Amino acid sequence: MYKVYVADVGAGLCSGIFSLCGNDCGYLQLDCGAQKGGERAFRGWKRIMGFYFRSPDTLVLSHHHQDHISGLYYARKVLDCRNSDELFNISRLYYPIIPKVTGADTQKLFLAMNFVNALTFAMETGIMELDLIELIRKINKPGHKLNFQALATGSKFTEGELSFEVLWPPKEIDRDNISKSVQKALNDFDNFLEKYPKLKELYDMCIRNITVENYTQTGEREINCRSDKETSECVTALHKQMDEIKKIFPDIEEVDKSIKKAANHLSLAFFETNQRILFLGDLENKEIGIVCDNLESKGICDFEILIAPHHGTHWNKKLSNLKSKYCISSIGDNLTKYFEEKFYSVSECCLLTFCCGDLIVPWPRCYQKSY
């Protein structure tokens, strides 16, 4: 038996996947973010934990966008690190690998994305964390062992009786559309830094704190506790320049948008091997088609739950070959007009958080209809 809990966080995703099978139980938290600030996402996460009466065992991050991770930064702000009862017991952290893309520097894209995220969240929370692995360590209970791993196509992970296999991204990609998107984002980022040399100095200081190899190589490893001194220096340097940075915040938003569009191509997608759950992250249309071809090659087309890509706003005609009992969309009012109605044709019951609020699926029989 299993349950999927999707918290209503507006435009974003905060979901818990529960394996409820005798002694082989587990709780996997899939993302924790909201577009309009981390507090709403964090409250959604607390509701999910209240449903299962415990901290997640595993945290899976589909990608590094604000609407998928902002609740983690808010947790770092509000949790009292001196009170271990408030902290988490996350034992495993998974996230998509940074693949090699022909003709594009995806490692630089990753560093730029983390830097822009750090600036954005520092303005919101006053906390500047540069590395998500380090962030999770700080919201975990002291001394709790955290294993982490980058996932690529073919990688497998489990939670209780549930077994998952990764469909995307692969370790290496040779696709012009992705290469061009990454290069555009990096050009926009470089042009932005050229306009603000002091920010370039801060960027060079900040990226020293990110161990890129943790994101480019598969294989499980354990957190290395590092000194907070350099991070503190970055925060101090940022605060000294905060007034100036706020003046050019619209420029940061434009760069952020360009980076996010490129990063969508590299979002995590996976399925539960007993065909219970299919998760397509924030993939763009062409990558959705590749994933569908992969599933077809495996002879897989039926799922109990389809978590629609990019909150239900992205579609590829090859999705028509799939069938699901439930199609779930974590979506806010600003995106509902973009929801692809074709998802109604591939599911018996289409559920949107905007319409239904928090979702716990399988859905009660009395509510099993298409919304």
Side-chain angles (χ1 to χ4, degrees), residues 18-77:
F18 306 106
S19 172
L20 309 169
C21 184
N23 294 326
D24 197 14
C25 295
Y27 164 19
L28 181 154
Q29 177 68 29
L30 175 59
D31 289 341
C32 180
Q35 197 174 70
K36 294 183 178 179
E39 182 177 1
R40 187 172 184 181
F42 181 70
R43 287 180 177 177
W45 192 7
K46 297 290 278 187
R47 292 197 300 276
I48 294 172
M49 288 191 292
F51 175 79
Y52 200 53
F53 302 108
R54 60 185 276 191
S55 162
D57 307 289
T58 301
L59 176 61
V60 176
L61 302 177
S62 63
H63 55 308
H64 301 260
H65 290 175
Q66 179 178 351
D67 59 335
H68 292 257
I69 63 171
S70 61
L72 304 176
Y73 283 85
Y74 189 81
R76 173 76 176 91
K77 173 186 177 181

Side-chain angles (χ1 to χ4, degrees), residues 151-158 163-168 268-273 277-279 294-295 298 300:
L151 301 175
T153 302
S155 295
K156 296 180 181 180
F157 60 99
T158 62
S163 298
F164 301 92
E165 182 176 329
V166 175
L167 295 163
W168 192 267
L268 190 67
F270 59 83
F271 73 104
E272 203 279 326
T273 54
I277 302 166
L278 173 62
F279 174 72
N294 190 352
L295 289 170
K298 297 175 183 290
I300 299 173

Side-chain angles (χ1 to χ4, degrees), residues 27-300:
Y27 164 19
L28 181 154
Q29 177 68 29
L30 175 59
D31 289 341
C32 180
Q35 197 174 70
K36 294 183 178 179
E39 182 177 1
R40 187 172 184 181
F42 181 70
R43 287 180 177 177
W45 192 7
K46 297 290 278 187
R47 292 197 300 276
I48 294 172
M49 288 191 292
F51 175 79
Y52 200 53
F53 302 108
R54 60 185 276 191
S55 162
D57 307 289
T58 301
L59 176 61
V60 176
L61 302 177
S62 63
H63 55 308
H64 301 260
H65 290 175
Q66 179 178 351
D67 59 335
H68 292 257
I69 63 171
S70 61
L72 304 176
Y73 283 85
Y74 189 81
R76 173 76 176 91
K77 173 186 177 181
V78 300
L79 294 180
D80 185 349
C81 296
R82 295 166 299 179
N83 184 354
S84 62
D85 290 339
E86 295 182 358
L87 299 173
F88 300 100
N89 294 306
I90 300 169
S91 299
R92 295 169 294 277
L93 171 64
Y94 299 118
Y95 43 83
I97 196 170
I98 304 171
K100 294 180 179 178
V101 175
T102 302
D105 188 347
T106 48
Q107 291 190 30
K108 185 176 177 181
L109 176 73
F110 174 75
L111 293 171
M113 180 168 54
N114 276 270
F115 179 66
V116 173
N117 280 343
L119 290 180
T120 302
F121 290 123
M123 292 174 188
E124 177 187 342
T125 66
I127 292 173
M128 188 180 186
E129 286 293 348
L130 305 163
D131 189 327
L132 277 169
I133 297 172
E134 181 71 1
L135 173 63
I136 303 308
R137 181 183 75 84
K138 289 178 179 175
I139 63 175
N140 249 2
K141 290 183 177 179
H144 189 80
K145 188 168 95 171
L146 175 68
N147 291 307
F148 55 91
Q149 183 177 354
L151 301 175
T153 302
S155 295
K156 296 180 181 180
F157 60 99
T158 62
E159 189 61 65
E161 66 159 353
L162 301 175
S163 298
F164 301 92
E165 182 176 329
V166 175
L167 295 163
W168 192 267
K171 293 180 180 179
E172 297 185 10
I173 301 174
D174 184 9
R175 297 188 62 82
D176 286 342
N177 67 309
I178 297 179
S179 179
K180 290 177 180 177
S181 182
V182 172
Q183 288 289 32
K184 180 185 181 306
L186 293 178
N187 288 338
D188 291 344
F189 182 69
D190 286 340
N191 291 337
F192 170 67
L193 291 185
E194 282 182 15
K195 291 165 57 178
Y196 194 59
K198 289 185 178 180
L199 201 60
K200 173 66 164 62
E201 293 177 13
L202 182 61
Y203 168 73
D204 291 337
M205 182 191 300
C206 287
I207 62 175
R208 295 201 302 263
N209 297 301
I210 301 176
T211 306
V212 180
E213 290 75 16
N214 288 336
Y215 298 88
T216 59
Q217 301 171 7
T218 57
E220 189 173 84
R221 60 194 74 184
E222 190 177 341
I223 188 79
N224 292 318
C225 298
R226 57 171 80 93
S227 169
D228 294 337
K229 181 180 178 182
E230 289 188 358
T231 301
S232 298
E233 290 175 353
C234 290
V235 174
T236 301
L238 174 70
H239 285 174
K240 287 180 179 178
Q241 301 180 56
M242 187 66 75
D243 289 339
E244 292 181 69
I245 291 170
K246 284 181 178 178
K247 292 176 184 177
I248 59 166
F249 187 69
D251 299 79
I252 293 178
E253 286 186 327
E254 287 303 312
V255 172
D256 189 30
K257 186 184 299 184
S258 180
I259 291 173
K260 284 179 177 177
K261 185 172 180 60
N264 277 345
H265 297 288
L266 312 178
S267 174
L268 190 67
F270 59 83
F271 73 104
E272 203 279 326
T273 54
N274 287 313
Q275 299 177 226
R276 286 178 275 204
I277 302 166
L278 173 62
F279 174 72
L280 295 175
D282 273 11
L283 289 181
E284 296 288 332
N285 295 359
K286 289 185 179 180
E287 289 70 55
I288 294 171
I290 295 171
V291 166
C292 289
D293 287 340
N294 190 352
L295 289 170
E296 184 178 359
S297 71
K298 297 175 183 290
I300 299 173

